[in-house]
């Protein structure tokens, strides 16, 4: 039977609900040899900041039970190089290109967004990283405070008419309040979740493994925590939600849709199975056909 | 060095051999990967259907039968992954992603001294073989903790002019570390200080080797390790400090082989 | 060489830092056939409430990547039966007996504690469960609010002179603030952490697996998240800390000590390896001997 | 029923047999556990050295060689654990915790009808054997989805008076569900309605069986399943609703066998 994988998240239409998560898919080009990028619902870029950032000292990665910790520190080329060096490739793609932006102050967020808005076509929306656990001054503090979330969203809303996705941190008392703040600030979509703060210790050396002591936890064990956050958001806000956290299989994707996500992002899994995003598109299509689901959007929030 | 594109594939183990208590080799049938591989590059390995190892484990290409279509890795048991991998049987499938990274550059090299500590030997056996095939003069200096850890002498002899061994405990060969042995060897020998160093080993060895090379004004290339998540430049998780500490290279795409002077070993 | 496993947490002295976590060790007696209970540092009982509670509807347990979710709902016999039926056995033990108390209001907490204080000897301290994620009215809301944490701690402090441990929830923006509130309220010790909220979905039935939709995540993957919370608390408060979360091995124990915990609690691991608590005491002793550690307390907070 | 204390031990697989595409048996050498086991009890199994299965998996005791010292389980592949367990080899070690729970009570039973659906057969083969040994008259009624799922007839014949089989798809025996078959069998037979029912199967079967028993005024015992974390009464994670829904039993310590009327099967 015919089935449609298309989903609509407010003003953002996706040909299917499979996106790739910021920081795990580079600027797209790195996966060009593994994946037919045009088959994806969309690509979310590595976080872009005002200036290039060299990132945190080593180690930045360590595997821990159930996932991994990272402490990249938003290492990236900066918005100008992004526009000149990375956008040309992205512009050749037919899938949605979402630029993830980050900063250490409201001004930095606004400046990055303004620069991107001035650049030629090729951007289908923005994701605002209000939740990076690895940058002390920035995301970490803003992202947990509903008032800050509201103010930043409001400021950015004034700068762009393109779809504005606010990415929320799970390290908070009440993700519903953060979601409401973003909604009131004018966000079109929420994405949840970024990583939880975690820590690994080398007991022989008696030292933290990561150069920054703590880092962000991602991977398989994040799934059940993320599902709870997505579900809670769905009970609180009216905006569409993009679910993120520990997605590795088709079943994981369907669970997030059922929990209330209109689309999902694949993160850590891309490192281990570089072809996984495209494979999940195929599998989701097969699943809908086998189960006579005319439109994948029927699954969204379809928990009994 | 050259990067003719990486492969993402499954391959079966065709042989597993123990070299000592903690070193073993895994040989895979993977003709296409073998063809593309050059010394110093690595492959990211994942045991298919094993869920409790999340990340792939980077392993240097130890030997490579381009004609016969096999690829071999030399592993040392240090943690969960290398232990789990040691329990596989011929026929078990791994996921392979590679060859990754930039290997050694020996296009203009006539005389080479290969210097390794412990498991650092893994990438340098393949290098010795390829250098020999291109008529480079190869001297090989190995360091081990103890005689019981020694390995690969047999594999190396066809390719090297000279093979010298140091053990930390003096149970075999030179009593002391491998850099000490190298210092002895080159002392006053102009032909040797004209050679280029190719090295892999623990950080402390690499640091003291780097100092020696600066003193003796020798060129050198080092294969370094870093914690990795992806292995192909995406996670930005494998920083190697620039010589002046003003920023970082990525071990997986800028390296794992770097030239003396480009990076900083301090800490 | 001689080594001492004894640790002192304010007024609570333990012969070794291995405790068993509330809800995972029953009332001690259930493990009598597996473990020499007197070898443990101490036992923390299942949470005790004013009245008996039948608990939540099934399912209450589901395994998820990296751990398990539970939604027990504080099922317990109630404080009076606890005193008459469970205390007599506990009283026969030489290890520390800590009673964990829970409630849906400040009054309930106070009443439970008062009843326990009136009972004959045999209690070495209390752990206040301000963090149960499975009881809507109770712990869930209090536990996240520093003001409530302060008020409850203060009220309970007036009722007892015995060691008062406040158990904190990780589902918060800033565990340091919660710890400070408990410290100001008069707590002697903090324990961290309880479970994170998680959710599992049966994608075939399109239903949440747990009867209460969400539950508490515990098990191996909790470790790195818990280490970060313990470390953060250690940077903020001056009270001794008991570390909890995903402890299964000796290395896990040592990591928590290094991160700043003066003692640890073993939780989920007890279900799978009923002898693990005693085995960890043995292993810790062996470790200290081999590494010439005269007193295990040298390890506490000994991160470089 | 009797609880002579549980054991926590390691035991090696001595045999693995496939009964059909998804049912297999695992036999362990565990003399002490075998001696203590009675029908309806279960053992909590854990594959030693496998980290990605966290909880032990509860399995009913399927057969038990008390003299020879073995214990056998019948497993159906339904998820991660039962799949992983199916890959073991003789010699592999499991952790066993058991015997757990309260089994069937047939001290005063002369006539019994054992009713099973699918994998629900696991605990009732041991029961049939023990009943036979104590001169209880045993009739056995099995239900399967289809002929391809059928199993255990051979094991049962020595112990039972009568063995009747229903398949949902009619590919063998009675066409319909096992409760339908039972209804046919007992219709108007006073000697049969005087028998006591012992049952295990999916919830929907148990519910309709319970209704039939109430109608026919027959006594019955049911072995039920619940999600479990500990299996010995500690986690309070395995509630089974009381008949009037005023509270819960624990499947692991009050059950897994309950009497008709004590519990509620609804939903
Ligand atoms: C380019 C490269 C080539 C390598 N070649 C070889 C080789 O040929 N033979 C060989 O035996 N080993 C090689 N290694 C090292 C090997 O990848 C590590 O030993 C392995 O990842 C550790 O795996 P484990 O699961 O056994 O240990 P784990 O239990 O994961 O950790 C044990 C130790 O490994 C290190 N480690 C932890 N996480 C990582 C990570 N993400 N990446 C790297 N190291 C980590 C830490 O120092 C840790 O103490 C290479 C590493 C790199 C980066
Ligand atoms: C007292 C008792 C006796 C049993 N005897 C047998 C037997 O003899 N043979 C047999 O094949 N099976 C038996 N089971 C069922 C068996 O334990 C489950 O099939 C098994 O736990 C599921 O394991 P899994 O890893 O294959 O599936 P999972 O991947 O863990 O889950 C698959 C399904 O199993 C169920 N499940 C999930 N978590 C649990 C849990 N914690 N406890 C129980 N079920 C769960 C769910 O319905 C889920 O859909 C028994 C269960 C109980 C409680
Ligand atoms: C190495 C790494 C780098 C990341 N970098 C970013 C980033 O730059 N911006 C961002 O918003 N999220 C970043 N994330 C978070 C992911 O986008 C995602 O929210 C998180 O990893 C959870 O999903 P997962 O469990 O599928 O990985 C990063 C995650 C990892 C593992
Ligand atoms: C089934 C179950 C029941 C629990 N019941 C309680 C409880 O009654 N009171 C309490 O304070 N904590 C309770 N906990 C939380 C544990 O004490 C502990 O904080 C948590 O499980 C994390 O540790 P772990 O990862 O070692 O299990 C319970 C945990 C589980 C898994
Ligand atoms: S390992 Fe991911 S960028 Fe190097
Ligand atoms: S399984 Fe833990 S109480 Fe029954």
């Amino acid at each position: 039977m015919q089935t449609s994988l298309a989903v609509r998240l407010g003003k953002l239409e996706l040909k299917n609900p499979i996106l790739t998560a910021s920081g795990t898919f580079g600027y797209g080009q790195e996966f060009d040899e593994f994946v037919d990028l045009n088959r994806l619902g969309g690509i979310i870029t590595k976080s872009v900041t005002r200036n290039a950032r060299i990132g945190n000292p080593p180690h930045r990665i360590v595997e821990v039970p159930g996932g991994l910790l990272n402490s990249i520190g938003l290492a990236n080329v900066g918005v100008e190089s992004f526009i000149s060096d990375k956008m040309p490739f992205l512009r050749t793609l037919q899938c949605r290109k979402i630029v993830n932006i980050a900063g250490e102050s409201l001004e930095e967020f606004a400046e990055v967004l303004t620069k991107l808005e001035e650049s030629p076509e090729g951007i289908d929306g923005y994701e605002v990283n209000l939740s990076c656990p690895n940058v002390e001054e920035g995301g970490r503090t803003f992202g947990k405070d509903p008032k800050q979330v509201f103010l930043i969203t409001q400021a950015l809303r004034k700068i762009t008419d393109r779809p504005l996705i606010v990415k929320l941190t799970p390290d908070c008392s009440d993700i519903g309040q953060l979601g409401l703040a973003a909604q009131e600030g004018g966000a079109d979509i929420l994405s949840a979740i970024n990583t939880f703060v975690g820590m690994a210790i080398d007991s022989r050396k008696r030292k933290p493994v990561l150069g920054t002591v703590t880092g962000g936890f991602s991977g398989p064990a994040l799934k059940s925590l993320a599902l709870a956050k997505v579900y809670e958001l769905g009970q609180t806000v009216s905006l569409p939600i993009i679910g993120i956290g520990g997605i590795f299989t088709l079943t994981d994707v369907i669970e997030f849709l059922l929990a209330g996500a209109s689309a999902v992002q694949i993160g850590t899994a891309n490192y281990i199975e570089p072809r996984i995003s495209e494979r999940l598109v195929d599998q989701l299509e097969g699943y809908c056909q086998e189960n006579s689901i005319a439109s994948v959007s029927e699954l969204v929030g379809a928990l009994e | 060095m050259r990067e003719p594109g990486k492969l993402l594939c499954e391959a079966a183990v065709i042989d597993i051999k123990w070299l000592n208590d903690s070193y073993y080799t895994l040989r895979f049938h993977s003709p296409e990967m073998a063809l593309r591989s050059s010394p110093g590059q690595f492959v990211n390995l994942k045991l298919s259907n094993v869920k409790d190892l999340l990340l792939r484990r980077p392993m240097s290409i130890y030997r490579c039968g381009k004609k016969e279509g096999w690829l071999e890795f030399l592993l040392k048991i240090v943690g969960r992954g290398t232990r789990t991998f040691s329990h596989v049987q011929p026929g078990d499938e791994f996921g392979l992603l590679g060859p990754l990274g930039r290997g050694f550059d020996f296009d203009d090299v006539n005389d080479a001294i290969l210097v390794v500590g412990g498991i650092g030997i893994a990438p340098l056996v393949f290098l010795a073989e390829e250098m020999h095939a291109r008529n480079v003069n190869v001297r090989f200096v190995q360091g081990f903790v103890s005689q019981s850890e020694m390995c690969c002498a047999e594999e190396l002899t066809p390719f090297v002019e000279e093979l010298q061994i140091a053990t930390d405990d003096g149970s075999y060969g030179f009593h002391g570390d491998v850099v000490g042995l190298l210092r002895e060897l080159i002392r006053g020998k102009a032909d040797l200080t004209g050679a280029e160093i190719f090295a892999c080993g623990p950080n402390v060895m690499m640091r003291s080797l780097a100092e020696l090379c600066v003193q003796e004004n020798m060129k050198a290339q080092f294969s370094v390790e870093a914690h990795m998540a992806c292995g192909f430049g995406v996670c930005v998780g494998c920083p190697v400090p620039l010589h002046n500490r003003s920023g970082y290279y990525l071990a997986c795409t800028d390296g794992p082989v770097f030239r003396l002077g480009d990076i900083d070993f301090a800490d």
Side-chain angles (χ1 to χ4, degrees), chain A, chain B:
Chain A
M1 78 165 258
Q2 275 293 80
T3 189
S4 163
L5 293 188
V7 288
R8 169 186 273 282
L9 291 83
K11 32 185 175 188
L12 182 68
E13 288 180 55
L14 301 176
K15 62 170 163 271
N16 66 62
I18 309 292
L19 306 162
T20 55
S22 178
T24 67
F25 211 71
Y27 303 98
Q29 191 153 18
E30 295 87 338
F31 282 82
D32 196 30
E33 57 184 308
F34 299 119
V35 165
D36 178 354
L37 298 167
N38 291 328
R39 303 245 8 249
L40 303 180
I43 291 173
I44 308 204
T45 70
K46 174 86 198 145
S47 283
V48 177
T49 54
R50 178 163 43 194
N51 302 312
R53 293 177 61 107
I54 63 167
N56 289 331
H59 299 303
R60 293 185 184 170
I61 295 282
V62 60
E63 186 167 327
V64 293
L68 62 88
L69 301 181
N70 87 77
S71 137
I72 307 301
L74 296 180
N76 82 99
V77 295
V79 65
E80 298 193 349
S81 297
F82 171 77
I83 291 170
S84 60
D85 303 345
K86 307 297 177 183
M87 277 302 302
F89 175 81
L90 287 171
R91 237 174 254 125
T92 67
L93 301 179
Q94 263 73 66
C95 68
R96 297 289 176 218
K97 286 85 63 181
I98 315 271
V99 182
N100 179 297
I101 64 174
E104 298 183 4
S105 62
L106 196 157
E107 292 66 38
E108 182 174 351
F109 275 102
E111 196 177 323
V112 173
L113 187 58
T114 305
K115 287 240 170 73
L116 289 165
E117 281 287 283
E118 287 163 0
S119 91
E121 286 306 295
I123 296 176
D124 297 304
Y126 301 101
E127 182 176 64
V128 187
N129 180 1
L130 283 183
S131 45
C132 183
N134 298 324
V135 186
E136 196 49 59
E137 329 78 36
R140 190 153 182 179
T141 28
F142 301 157
K144 293 175 171 186
D145 179 355
K147 202 169 356 165
Q148 296 290 329
V149 170
F150 169 77
L151 289 173
I152 295 181
T153 311
Q154 194 185 40
L156 300 181
R157 177 75 292 168
K158 291 194 185 126
I159 303 173
T160 185
D161 288 329
R162 292 198 172 108
L164 193 62
I165 306 169
V166 174
K167 183 169 180 180
L168 301 175
T169 178
D171 268 314
C172 61
S173 307
D174 189 343
I175 200 164
Q177 289 308 312
L178 296 181
L180 283 175
Q183 179 169 311
E184 280 160 32
D188 297 302
I189 300 168
L190 301 175
S191 59
I193 55 177
N194 210 313
T195 54
F196 274 94
V197 175
M199 176 172 179
I201 291 175
D202 184 327
S203 62
R204 271 194 233 165
K205 297 188 188 151
R206 299 195 183 174
K207 274 176 29 177
V209 178
L210 296 178
T212 50
V213 181
T214 59
F217 179 88
S218 68
L222 199 60
K223 184 178 74 170
S224 68
L225 308 180
L227 282 170
K229 297 293 184 192
V230 167
Y231 180 79
E232 192 176 332
L233 272 179
Q235 306 292 306
T236 319
V237 301
S238 54
L239 296 181
I241 302 161
I242 304 177
I244 321 169
I247 300 180
F248 282 69
T249 67
L250 173 66
T251 311
D252 297 336
V253 171
I254 293 170
E255 288 171 15
F256 273 92
L257 299 177
L258 292 172
S262 300
V264 298
Q265 294 179 22
I266 317 301
T268 300
N270 290 306
Y271 301 143
I272 301 147
E273 298 296 351
R275 296 211 176 96
I276 194 156
S277 52
E278 186 179 355
R279 198 190 312 145
L280 288 171
V281 175
D282 291 338
Q283 291 179 345
L284 186 60
E285 185 157 25
Y287 174 86
C288 288
Q289 276 164 352
E290 276 162 36
N291 292 277
S292 306
I293 294 168
S295 162
V296 75
S297 55
E298 291 169 27
L299 292 172
V300 176
L303 270 194
E304 271 185 31
Chain B
M1 209 67 266
R2 292 146 305 144
E3 226 189 330
K6 32 191 180 295
L7 286 172
L8 176 59
C9 60
E10 299 255 299
V13 175
I14 51 180
D15 196 26
I16 164 162
K17 271 212 190 77
W18 286 87
L19 307 191
N20 59 42
D21 279 357
S22 56
Y23 287 30
Y24 61 99
T25 58
L26 291 178
R27 183 179 288 196
F28 293 90
H29 180 72
S30 193
E32 188 56 33
M33 186 88 73
L35 277 182
R36 300 187 189 198
S37 298
S38 63
Q41 290 191 294
F42 64 99
V43 175
N44 250 351
L45 295 181
K46 180 184 178 308
L47 190 49
S48 305
N49 304 320
V50 165
K51 293 262 164 61
D52 65 338
L53 295 173
L54 181 63
L55 296 172
R56 290 173 183 260
R57 299 310 201 247
M59 293 294 156
S60 301
I61 298 161
Y62 163 59
R63 296 201 310 172
C64 171
K66 290 191 194 270
K67 279 199 207 118
E68 306 86 346
W70 53 260
L71 210 62
E72 202 167 62
F73 303 94
L74 172 61
L75 285 80
K76 176 181 178 182
I77 297 187
V78 300
R80 287 192 314 126
T82 45
R83 176 160 301 113
T84 305
F85 289 179
S86 76
H87 296 137
V88 301
Q89 311 281 338
D92 287 352
E93 297 261 315
F94 276 68
L96 271 57
L97 170 61
L100 299 170
R102 297 153 59 94
F104 294 101
D105 176 7
F106 51 99
D107 283 352
D108 306 315
V109 175
N110 295 316
D111 288 289
I113 307 177
L114 279 49
V115 185
V116 304
I119 186 66
I121 190 156
L124 294 205
V125 175
F126 186 18
L127 178 65
E129 181 173 356
E130 294 275 297
M131 282 181 159
H132 178 77
R134 295 209 235 144
N135 298 315
V136 182
N137 246 328
V138 181
R139 285 185 172 74
F140 209 103
V141 192
Q142 288 182 285
F144 293 107
V145 173
S146 160
Q147 181 170 15
S148 62
E149 198 192 11
M150 275 165 49
C151 66
C152 306
E154 210 174 306
E155 285 76 7
L156 283 170
T157 33
F159 313 125
V160 302
E161 206 96 320
E162 191 181 348
L163 177 62
Q164 294 276 355
I165 294 174
T167 53
D168 293 347
D169 65 358
S171 51
Y172 187 94
F174 178 83
H175 187 165
D177 69 44
V178 68
V179 180
L181 171 56
L182 178 66
R183 200 185 308 264
E184 294 283 307
L185 284 180
I186 61 176
R187 179 168 301 168
K189 300 211 185 105
D191 58 325
L192 290 188
T193 50
E196 181 160 347
I197 299 280
F198 295 81
C200 185
N203 217 39
V204 40
M205 165 198 134
M206 306 272 254
R207 190 158 53 226
S208 87
L209 180 59
E211 280 165 18
L212 178 64
C213 293
V214 170
Q215 277 167 22
E216 302 287 341
N217 201 17
M218 294 173 81
K219 292 213 259 175
Q221 297 178 35
F222 299 90
S223 174
V224 308
E225 279 196 16
H227 288 199
M228 294 185 172
C230 71
F232 55 102
V234 174
C235 72
V236 205
C238 57
V240 178
L242 298 186
H243 64 103
N244 60 4
R245 303 209 144 201
S246 66
Y248 301 99
Y249 288 114
L250 292 184
C252 68
T253 46
D254 299 321
V257 176
F258 294 93
R259 289 183 182 277
L260 176 65
D262 285 350
I263 59 172
D264 177 57
F265 285 113
D267 113 80

